């Protein structure tokens, strides 16, 4: 689509223009889209101004000196509480009244669902429209009480005398009083009358009516600062803060409308996450529950350290708990739980625990215990014997600083040298060139793997102990019972383990600052201890990196809106000009966004930038991996994710993926698969990630962005054989920067056109003969495997007369009707009828005298033409002498109702095997009842591959038989009755799939037979009535087709041994079927080495083959710009949850080759995104 596709369609524009004024004013609906009586608008205005009127009464009494300020607040609050209750009771009464009336009303389905019919100024419909009411009774009371408190404190907050004392300016007092009450009225209306839809929406559903509390909460925050200033001792900073906040208070409606202030759920989650990460040294968590628990434990640890009486105890406490809390406690607890269950409960629990011990077992426990012990010993000894000297260039702490600086440089170099691009700009000369196969890559990367091992040791063991040495030698720890020491050092002692690389950088920066600034009177040295310095440096580092990343994102949008022709809209030049003119404001927006750690929101992904509301680093409220748009392609991601996780584990530990922090995004590419990786947690020797799989059925937008991703990876990994040293990254500025390739065990997908194979007359001519061979092999293997579950013949001395019961009728099975005349017309079927024959005879007299030859199967008599209009009846034996009743029955058979063929039964004759063990390979009786003429049986005897049949039997070992004669196989080969069984079984299947004619099948018939979609026929109807046999025949046909393809590709089959090898390979290593089969998905999950499917393109008129091959292949990995992803997801959330712009062709979902806009939307959590796979939190051990 063109770049000027509407941002919002006409319907959504009208909807947005109705919703946005309602959001700005806090809930009043003044733009309805239809004609409403004037009293609707008047009532809303009155209710909107009611808090101001009630507060004005109290304000007037205070200004006249009649009441004190707190009595004034109490009066206004009480009046508001009573008014709110009355309004809510009115709504409840209107609802009950409407329910009684609506029972007799008939809804008009032709009216707009948003349109109301108003009867009077205070009618029930009017009340329900203006005051929707609360879902829960407890909220009715609580919100009313909160409205009263808000009105009372708001009256106190905006008393004119109080404002005059702050500013000493009448004009300023009037402005703050008027617009301040507008802010309070907006908050009150949203709380008690009608809650507006907020532009800052985090949850898709507001189940517990929390949204109504958002605006009052922020008003209470401003009032709380004023109360602190009012009751606290005169503090200059509080007074200045109060003055500033009174001015900002007037702009709260603007901040609410722009969606800058977060909803309460996002605010508390974001606040806990920021405090846990920057105040307590922890890591963001993957779930809200884990975040809350970890925050409480970490805060308790910091508080507890304040009350420890000795400096040595503080050191040991902080070091020990910092290490313990940095571990993967959830997995350790889970493993411990199942360990206890395995000792106390069933063996099933033991099996469950066995899989978990890979990640946490005795080896890990001993390792962690050893590290903790050495850390405690080191910290205590250094602090005890060398921790009292001041910092100087030759002090022990300075020596530790030098070591840390060297470590930082070495680790930084070792990390960058493993990536394909240095700093994302220049090609790394040490990285292997033109990497395409696993063997070549692994051979070339051996040196880099050694580098990764060295870096892993330095990161896991050397750096933490060096940092503990630096911290233990700090003099600030001598200041016991100091809040700053408890917060700062508790944080850094944990961060040493939790986030080693950033902690190392922070300590090096502080060390260099200490070396450069020795002036003790400087604020940096005088007022701040080392822990607080590290805290400030950590926050500054994080916000600076965010600022740079957000600025890169903004510049990318600005430039590509013009350079990418498909993104160039009519308004692009104007927007770029405005951004250049107001560049300082844009930089301020970027800085504020970085300071709040909130996403920079590009409206509709245009160069129109807003500040998104702060939210947790994972961006979405739901549990990780809980939802995905599952489809048939999901299995490919399910199969590859375990292997990908192992490869990621090695890459993250070695550092080849760069600096991976919670919130980092990576994109993996292999053929048509795109994997989106989000880092959620990180700690000492572990990392928690979520892996999503994007759709494989590419749309035009998806294909355009995927093609650009392929170009970037090919330029980095496959086209570097003749590139210059330190060649530049031609895609610098793209949000995707290639990192490395990972060897992953997955399926490669190869598709080929079968023209010249499936339509070759020569190939099709041999198809039936090959099918017979394959089917014989399939039937023998089926019967042989079935015999393994049965016991060997109980009596070897039993007469050779057979192994069936003596009663010949005990083997009765249902018998299908014979073929009709159109299927069986031949001279053979007519010659038996003579002029002397009785038309009521079931069979011609000559046929009644036929006898079966010994050792041959005689279950298929010739088919005879019935008399038109008669009802056919069948019997196994016709006695030569009949009773009068029988003759009468036969005489009146024409007058009887037709008999359902499913009810007709025939007793099969007894099969006389020449070998007593033949019964083990006998096909089931019901498979011998196909209605085929004898002539076709004789024809099949001639076509039957007897040598192949003998070869198959010769390959059987019968190891499961305890006692067997030495000549068993020879006896089986000589058994003609057994061979006749297989002849008839093969004929039955051929009859069902091909019919009785001997013509060469057409390609269309081959395709239908392969897919199981053959048109109905008598033979197919009989075959499908035997589901197990039908599946065997279908499987044999698919094997035959695969054999035909292999013979055309690899050459003819030389001998029976090679053919048997082909079939055994198909059986053991292949799944040959259809992509739509459930068994296909099961085969992928079971990791069958090969899968084959036949397809047809009706548009092109061609047949295609698809082969999946399981092997270890290279998956390309690149790092995404984190802030670009967060910004696009913030716009997606705003656009869908607030503007409800769910148009599938909207502008913000169109392809953008630089921002990867379409792929980013796909990777969002449902319901806003649509990944076809999303894993649960994967815990990757990094040691």
């Amino acid at each position: 689509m063109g770049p000027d596709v509407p941002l919002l369609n006409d319907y959504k524009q009208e909807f947005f223009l109705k919703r946005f004024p309602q959001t700005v004013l806090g809930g009043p609906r003044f733009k309805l889209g239809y004609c409403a009586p004037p009293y609707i608008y008047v009532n809303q205005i009155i209710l909107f101004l009611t808090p101001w009127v009630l507060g004005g009464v109290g304000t007037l009494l205070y200004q006249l000196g009649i009441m004190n300020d707190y009595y004034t607040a109490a009066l206004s609050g009480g009046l508001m509480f009573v008014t709110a209750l009355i309004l809510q009771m009115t709504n409840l009464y209107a609802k009950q009244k409407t329910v009684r009336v609506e029972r007799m009303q008939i809804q008009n389905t032709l009216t707009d669902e948003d349109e109301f019919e108003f009867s009077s100024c205070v009618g029930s419909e009017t009340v329900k429209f203006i005051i929707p009411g609360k879902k829960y009774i407890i909220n009715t009371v609580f919100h009313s009480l909160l409205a009263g408190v808000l009105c009372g404190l708001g009256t106190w907050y905006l008393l004119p005398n109080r404002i005059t004392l702050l500013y000493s300016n009448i004009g300023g007092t009037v402005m703050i009083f008027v617009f301040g009450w507008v802010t309070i009225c907006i908050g009150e209306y949203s709380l008690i009358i009608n809650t507006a839809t907020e532009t800052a929406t985090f949850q898709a559903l507001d189940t517990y009516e929390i949204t109504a509390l958002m605006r009052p909460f922020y008003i209470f925050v401003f009032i709380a600062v004023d109360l602190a200033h009012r009751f606290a001792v005169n503090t200059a900073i509080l007074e200045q803060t109060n003055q500033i906040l009174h001015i900002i208070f007037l702009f709260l409606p603007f901040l609410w409308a722009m969606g800058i202030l977060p909803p309460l759920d996002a605010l508390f989650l974001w606040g806990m996450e920021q405090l846990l990460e920057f105040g307590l040294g922890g890591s963001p968590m993957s779930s809200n529950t884990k975040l809350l628990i970890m925050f409480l434990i970490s805060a308790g640890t910091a508080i507890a350290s304040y009350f420890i009486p000795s400096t040595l105890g503080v050191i040991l406490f902080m070091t020990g708990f910092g290490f313990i809390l940095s571990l993967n406690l959830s997995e350790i607890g889970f493993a411990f739980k199942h360990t206890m269950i395995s000792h106390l409960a069933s063996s099933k629990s033991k099996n469950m625990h066995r899989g978990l011990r890979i990640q946490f077992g005795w080896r890990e426990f001993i390792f962690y215990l050893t590290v903790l012990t050495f850390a405690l010993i080191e910290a205590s000894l250094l602090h005890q014997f060398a921790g009292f000297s001041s910092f100087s260039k030759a002090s022990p702490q300075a020596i530790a600083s030098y070591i840390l600086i060297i470590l930082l440089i070495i680790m930084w170099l070792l990390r960058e040298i493993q990536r394909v691009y240095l700093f994302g700009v220049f090609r790394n000369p040490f990285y292997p060139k033109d990497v395409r196969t696993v063997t070549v890559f692994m051979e070339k990367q051996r040196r880099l793997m050694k580098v990764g091992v060295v870096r892993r040791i330095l990161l896991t063991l050397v750096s933490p102990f060096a940092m503990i040495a630096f911290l233990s030698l700090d003099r600030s720890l001598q200041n016991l019972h100091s809040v700053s020491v408890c917060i700062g050092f508790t944080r850094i002692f944990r961060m040493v383990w939790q986030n080693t690389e950033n902690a190392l950088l922070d300590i090096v920066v502080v060390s260099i600052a200490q070396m450069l600034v020795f002036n003790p009177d400087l604020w940096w040295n005088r007022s701040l201890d080392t822990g607080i310095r590290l805290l400030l440096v950590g926050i500054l580092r994080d916000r600076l990196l965010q600022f740079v990343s957000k600025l890169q994102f903004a510049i990318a949008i600005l430039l590509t809106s013009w350079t990418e022709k498909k993104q160039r809209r009519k308004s692009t030049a104007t927007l770029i000009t405005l951004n250049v003119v107001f560049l300082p404001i844009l930089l301020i927006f970027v800085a504020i966004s970085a300071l709040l750690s909130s996403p920079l929101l590009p409206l509709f992904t245009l160069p129109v930038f807003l500040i998104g509301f702060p939210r947790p680093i994972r961006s979405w409220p739901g549990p990780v991996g809980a939802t995905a748009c599952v489809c048939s392609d999901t299995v490919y991601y399910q199969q590859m994710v375990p292997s990908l996780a192992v490869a990621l584990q090695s890459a993250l530990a070695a550092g080849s993926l760069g600096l991976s922090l919670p919130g980092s995004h990576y994109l993996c590419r292999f053929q048509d698969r795109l994997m989106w990786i989000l880092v959620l947690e990180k700690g000492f020797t572990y990392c928690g990630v979520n892996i999503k799989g994007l759709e494989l059925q590419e749309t035009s937008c998806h294909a355009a962005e995927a093609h650009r991703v392929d170009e970037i990876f090919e330029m980095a990994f496959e086209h570097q054989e003749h590139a210059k040293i330190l060649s530049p990254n031609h895609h610098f500025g793209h949000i995707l920067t290639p990192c490395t390739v990972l060897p992953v065990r997955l399926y490669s997908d190869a598709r080929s056109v079968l023209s010249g194979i499936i339509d070759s007359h020569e190939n099709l001519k041999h198809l039936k003969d090959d099918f017979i061979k394959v089917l014989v092999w399939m039937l023998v293997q089926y019967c042989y495997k079935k015999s393994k579950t049965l016991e060997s013949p109980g009596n070897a001395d039993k007469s050779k007369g057979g192994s069936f019961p003596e009663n010949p009728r005990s083997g009765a099975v249902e018998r299908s009707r014979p073929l009709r005349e159109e299927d069986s017309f031949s001279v053979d079927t007519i010659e038996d009828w003579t002029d002397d024959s009785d038309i009521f005879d079931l069979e011609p007299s000559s046929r009644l005298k036929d006898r079966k030859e010994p050792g041959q199967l005689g279950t298929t008599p010739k088919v005879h033409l019935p008399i038109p209009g008669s009802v056919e009846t069948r019997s196994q034996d016709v006695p030569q002498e009949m009773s009068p009743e029988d003759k009468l029955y036969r005489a009146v058979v024409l007058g009887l109702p037709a008999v359902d063929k499913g009810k007709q039964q025939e007793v099969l004759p007894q099969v006389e095997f020449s070998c007593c063990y033949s019964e083990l390979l006998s096909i089931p009786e019901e498979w011998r009842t196909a209605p085929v003429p004898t002539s076709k049986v004789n024809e099949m005897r001639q076509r039957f591959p007897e040598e192949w049949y003998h070869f198959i039997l010769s390959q059987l070992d019968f190891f499961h038989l305890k006692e067997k004669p030495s000549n068993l196989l020879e006896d089986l080969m000589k058994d003609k009755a057994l061979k006749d069984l297989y002849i008839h079984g093969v004929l039955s299947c051929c009859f069902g799939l091909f019919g009785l004619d001997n013509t060469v099948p057409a390609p269309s018939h081959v395709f239908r037979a392969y897919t199981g979609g053959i048109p109905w026929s008598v033979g197919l109807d009989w075959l499908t009535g035997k589901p197990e046999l039908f599946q065997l025949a279908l499987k044999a046909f698919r094997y035959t087709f695969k054999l035909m393809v292999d013979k055309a590709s690899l050459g003819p089959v030389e001998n029976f041994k090679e053919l048997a090898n082909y079939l055994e390979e198909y059986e053991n290593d292949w799944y040959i079927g259809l992509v739509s089969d459930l068994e296909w998905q099961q085969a992928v999950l079971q990791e069958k080495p090969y899968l084959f499917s036949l397809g047809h393109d009706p548009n092109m008129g061609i047949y295609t083959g698809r082969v999946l091959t399981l092997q270890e292949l290279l998956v390309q990995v690149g790092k995404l710009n984190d802030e670009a992803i967060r910004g696009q997801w913030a716009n997606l959330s705003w656009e869908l949850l607030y503007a409800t712009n769910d148009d599938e062709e909207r502008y913000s979902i169109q392809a953008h080759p630089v921002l990867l806009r379409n792929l980013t939307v796909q990777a969002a959590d449902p319901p806003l995104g649509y990944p076809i796979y999303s894993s649960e939190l994967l815990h990757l051990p990094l040691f």
Side-chain angles (χ1 to χ4, degrees), residues 811-861:
V813 295
E814 293 187 7
R815 175 74 178 226
S816 302
R817 288 177 56 183
L819 291 177
R820 298 186 181 275
E821 48 267 53
E822 61 267 24
D823 293 323
S824 58
F825 186 80
S826 67
V827 176
D828 293 336
T829 61
I830 297 176
E831 62 184 3
D832 294 316
W833 291 97
T834 64
D835 293 337
D836 299 331
S837 299
D838 188 348
I839 63 172
F840 298 110
D841 284 345
L842 296 181
E843 294 184 7
S845 56
S846 61
R847 185 160 297 283
L848 293 176
K849 300 175 184 178
D850 290 345
R851 289 292 177 262
K852 306 173 184 61
E853 296 179 5
Q856 293 188 356
L857 180 65
T859 62
T860 312

Side-chain angles (χ1 to χ4, degrees), residues 740-803:
T740 187
V741 291
L742 302 177
V744 179
R745 184 175 173 80
L746 44 63
Y747 281 101
S748 63
D749 194 347
R751 302 167 193 251
S752 58
V753 177
L754 298 180
S755 299
I757 297 178
I758 191 173
D759 53 1
S760 170
H761 182 77
E762 190 69 22
N763 292 337
L764 295 175
K765 188 170 65 175
H766 294 97
L767 183 68
K768 279 189 178 181
D769 292 335
D770 287 342
F771 174 68
I772 293 172
K773 292 180 181 178
V774 174
L775 187 59
V776 170
W777 182 85
M778 193 78 70
L779 290 174
V780 171
Q781 293 296 322
Y782 170 82
C783 296
Y784 177 67
K785 291 177 182 177
K786 195 172 181 181
S787 71
K788 290 183 177 181
T789 62
L790 303 174
E791 294 182 0
S792 59
N795 187 3
D797 297 328
K798 186 180 290 186
S799 65
K800 295 183 180 180
S803 55

Side-chain angles (χ1 to χ4, degrees), residues 578-646:
L578 290 174
N579 276 278
V580 172
V581 172
F582 296 101
L583 181 61
I585 296 178
L586 173 60
L587 293 176
I588 290 173
F589 275 22
V590 174
I592 294 174
S593 177
L595 189 64
L596 295 175
S597 188
S598 61
L600 182 68
L601 192 154
L603 199 61
F604 298 107
T605 64
L606 291 171
V608 179
F609 299 101
L610 302 175
I611 301 171
F613 66 87
R615 65 198 79 193
I617 200 71
R618 63 180 185 273
S619 295
W620 307 112
V624 175
T627 55
C629 302
V630 178
C631 65
S632 58
D633 293 331
T634 302
V635 292
Y636 303 116
Y637 291 111
Q638 290 176 333
Q639 178 274 324
M640 70 177 294
V641 159
S643 178
L644 178 60
V646 173

Side-chain angles (χ1 to χ4, degrees), residues 998-1011:
N998 293 324
T999 59
V1000 176
S1004 59
H1005 183 85
V1006 172
F1007 177 74
R1008 286 196 297 267
Y1010 185 95
T1011 59

Side-chain angles (χ1 to χ4, degrees), residues 92 113 133 156 170 200 283 339 343 394 432 457 565 621 677 715 766 784 941 953 964 973 999 1068 1094 1132 1175:
L92 291 175
E113 61 179 359
W156 204 2
I170 299 299
S283 164
T339 301
H343 287 296
I457 295 172
K565 292 183 179 180
I677 301 169
M715 185 66 69
H766 294 97
Y784 177 67
R941 283 198 183 98
L953 293 180
K964 61 178 179 180
M973 294 178 192
T999 59
N1068 298 326
L1094 176 65
L1132 176 68
S1175 71

